[in-house]
Amino acid sequence: MGQTVSLCGWVHRRRDHGGVIFIDLRDREGLVQVVCDPDRADMFKAAEAVRNEFCLRITGLVRARPAGTENAGLNSGKIEVLCHELEVLNASVTPPFQLDDDNLSETTRLTHRVLDLRRPQMQNNLRLRYRVSMEVRKFLDSNGFIDIETPMLTKSTPEGARDYLVPSRVNAGNFFALPQSPQLFKQLLMVANFDRYYQITKCFRDEDLRADRQPEFTQIDCETSFMNEQEIRDMFEGMIRGVFKNVLNVDLPNPFPVMDFATAMGKYGSDKPDMRVRLEFTELTEVMKDVEFKVFSGAANMENGRVVGLRVPGGAAMPRSEIDAYTQFVAIYGAKGLAYIKVNELAKGRDGLQSPIVKNIHDAALTQILERTGAQDGDLIFFGADKAKVVNDAIGALRVKIGHSDFGRKGGLFDDDWRPLWVVDFPMFEHDEDENRWNALHHPFTAPKAGHEDFIESAPGKAIAQAYDMVLNGWELGGGSVRIHRADVQSKVFKALNINDEEAQIKFGFLLDALQYGAPPHGGLAFGLDRLVTMMTGAESIRDVIAFPKTQRAQCLLTQAPSEVDEKQLRELHIRLRATEPALKS
């Protein structure tokens, strides 16, 4: 107060109040009100010409705002700056939108991303992202991890998604790939005696994009030697707990709950269950094997079939229109319908139940349904019956949908809190029924649990992995595993995946060779930085925490990438585009 200061920033808003001009000057720290009086003629003339988003330098006196004009919504709301000098550092054309407009389309925002990033919420998001990254680095540094870069141009070793390929000009006809993750290199670093490595790095996957997927995303990638699964989980749980405390002042539970994969799928139909939702599946497959209702009995007797109930306390009050909307919702996940029973009055038995399917379910099965679900008067029971995957996907999504709805929140079915969870003991393999082969559930370098090595050859479906995911509020924050460090075990896994010795050598020979030189036991995990920051900011999309993101069609609206390149560049890369496939140019 009382000092003369120099401030640089942008005109957020200019107001002319009868001969006195007020300018809200904005920089990355926020806003301050600048008062331009006409008694300084040159300065006032310059102030009359400024408009929104002009870049200014002003010099002026800090003074208290007049009584009654304070603005409690601003950090600087008790003061203003009386302008003595005003310099226009750069003028601005009329912006395509007002920066305080909260109803902008995402297309507009991404097309004019530089202006979008000036908006306070985007400034706050990216500053919080920076703070998260710094907390991660401080934690890892204090625990002996060192930051080591790994190559961006590497060998194509398909790991699930498609690789982004980069043609080599020097080596005609050959291609680099952009890394889907640093997985193989960080294992090599463990063999090379850098026993605690980390990297906050870009990863690239050319996959079909969903709402919160990006072709390039940022991973907090960590690996360590000589630690077992529990020690690894304890360490990185501590890291995430520290990040939340130091950035948001949030105390996450200590320790995090732990749930095995089978329980997660059994109760919630998901390996990343949202534990804020107070609804669980009830297993009814055995109960339905002999009922007349073919939808239930057919699924119950089908190979890999499943029948479950989802009790919704107080759900009998749901209008039919809401039930119909949920029926349409589960169809997205392949469900052919959504059967239900309203429990109006338990004491009346069958007569107290309301549903078109009750007449086709015998008394013994009805009794089991009500007992196992714990149904009470006024409840609603939804049913899923189909192949297990369809049931898990559809009823799992329905569980979350109901929990997050107004009905769920008002009915006490949702706890608005931070609910972390470790999901452990994943299967090593999943069976592809179409191709009748086994695929790695995570990746082919995940170690089996002790005693499960023999299952890899004899019964792959029984082999459990030393794999673990950290889940928060229904999002997978990070995942990892203890790795295979013995060449003989790695060979068994490749055989289970129908990768012969020659193919393994071509794809992964450099890793297999390295494992022969006394590779240490090692493991690690990777966190999705974009997802983590999205949750912490409460943003609607991961695109809101990435400075220059792509759209769902993997396009950059700001730079108009990807774009065509000229014929000379293509010739240098030994590439010719087929005229019959114009999509290749897009």
Side-chain angles (χ1 to χ4, degrees), residues 244-527:
F244 270 79
K245 180 63 176 177
N246 295 334
V247 176
L248 296 183
N249 197 28
V250 166
D251 291 304
L252 295 180
N254 186 8
F256 291 0
V258 180
M259 181 181 297
D260 63 60
F261 173 86
T263 300
M265 298 304 294
K267 287 186 174 183
Y268 309 108
S270 170
D271 60 2
K272 47 182 184 296
D274 188 342
M275 301 307 292
R276 296 173 297 174
V277 177
R278 294 185 172 189
L279 298 172
E280 293 184 2
F281 290 8
T282 299
E283 187 61 54
L284 297 171
T285 307
E286 290 299 318
V287 174
M288 299 301 185
K289 284 185 177 289
D290 63 348
V291 299
E292 291 183 23
F293 190 47
K294 298 300 183 187
V295 172
F296 287 178
S297 58
N301 290 290
M302 177 194 310
E303 186 178 2
N304 295 323
R306 189 178 191 198
V307 183
V308 302
L310 184 74
R311 178 175 77 93
V312 182
M318 266 189 208
R320 181 57 190 264
S321 59
E322 194 166 348
I323 294 174
D324 290 344
Y326 286 139
T327 302
Q328 293 179 350
F329 173 73
V330 296
I332 298 170
Y333 299 89
K336 301 178 182 68
L338 184 61
Y340 68 91
I341 294 176
K342 286 188 175 183
V343 183
N344 295 327
E345 196 171 345
L346 267 178
K348 289 186 177 180
R350 182 182 291 272
D351 293 336
L353 306 178
Q354 180 183 344
S355 168
I357 68 169
V358 167
K359 63 179 180 291
N360 294 317
I361 300 176
H362 55 69
D363 289 344
L366 278 178
T367 300
Q368 284 292 302
I369 291 169
L370 298 173
E371 287 182 359
R372 292 191 182 196
T373 59
Q376 303 293 319
D377 290 353
D379 289 352
L380 175 67
I381 306 169
F382 284 118
F383 296 90
D386 209 310
K387 288 190 173 181
K389 185 179 187 316
V390 173
V391 170
N392 292 339
D393 290 349
I395 307 304
L398 177 66
R399 169 185 173 269
V400 174
K401 181 89 168 172
I402 294 172
H404 284 250
S405 69
D406 288 341
F407 175 88
R409 290 172 182 266
K410 291 175 182 176
L413 306 181
F414 182 85
D415 297 317
D416 196 0
D417 199 0
W418 296 104
R419 293 296 176 89
L421 176 73
W422 282 108
V423 178
V424 301
D425 292 352
F426 285 81
M428 283 195 70
F429 307 101
E430 58 183 350
H431 193 254
D432 185 330
E433 295 181 9
D434 294 333
E435 297 189 13
N436 191 28
R437 58 171 292 168
W438 293 99
N439 294 323
L441 188 66
H442 278 81
H443 55 65
F445 317 109
T446 301
K449 288 184 79 73
H452 284 241
E453 293 91 344
D454 291 340
F455 288 142
I456 296 172
E457 292 179 310
S458 61
K462 292 183 179 181
I464 301 298
Q466 294 187 65
Y468 34 84
D469 283 356
M470 184 187 289
V471 176
L472 181 63
N473 293 3
W475 286 42
E476 180 193 329
L477 279 192
S481 65
V482 174
R483 322 300 185 190
I484 296 169
H485 68 282
R486 285 171 31 206
D488 60 325
V489 177
Q490 187 66 73
S491 179
K492 286 182 180 181
V493 170
F494 284 152
K495 285 179 181 176
L497 297 173
N498 283 340
I499 299 174
N500 60 40
D501 292 343
E502 182 180 359
E503 186 181 359
Q505 196 62 36
I506 292 172
K507 288 183 175 179
F508 310 110
F510 57 96
L511 173 66
L512 298 176
D513 291 345
L515 292 180
Q516 299 177 88
Y517 296 103
H522 59 282
L525 77 173
F527 292 96

Side-chain angles (χ1 to χ4, degrees), residues 21 32 53 78 158 174 204 231 239 255 261 351 419 495 507 521 565 576:
I21 294 173
V32 68
E53 300 311 312
K78 293 182 179 180
N174 291 330
F204 306 86
E231 291 167 334
M239 182 181 84
F261 173 86
D351 293 336
R419 293 296 176 89
K495 285 179 181 176
K507 288 183 175 179
V565 297
R576 181 186 297 121

Side-chain angles (χ1 to χ4, degrees), residues 58-70:
I58 69 103
T59 302
L61 178 72
V62 180
R63 69 184 188 185
R65 289 198 188 195
T69 66
E70 298 92 345

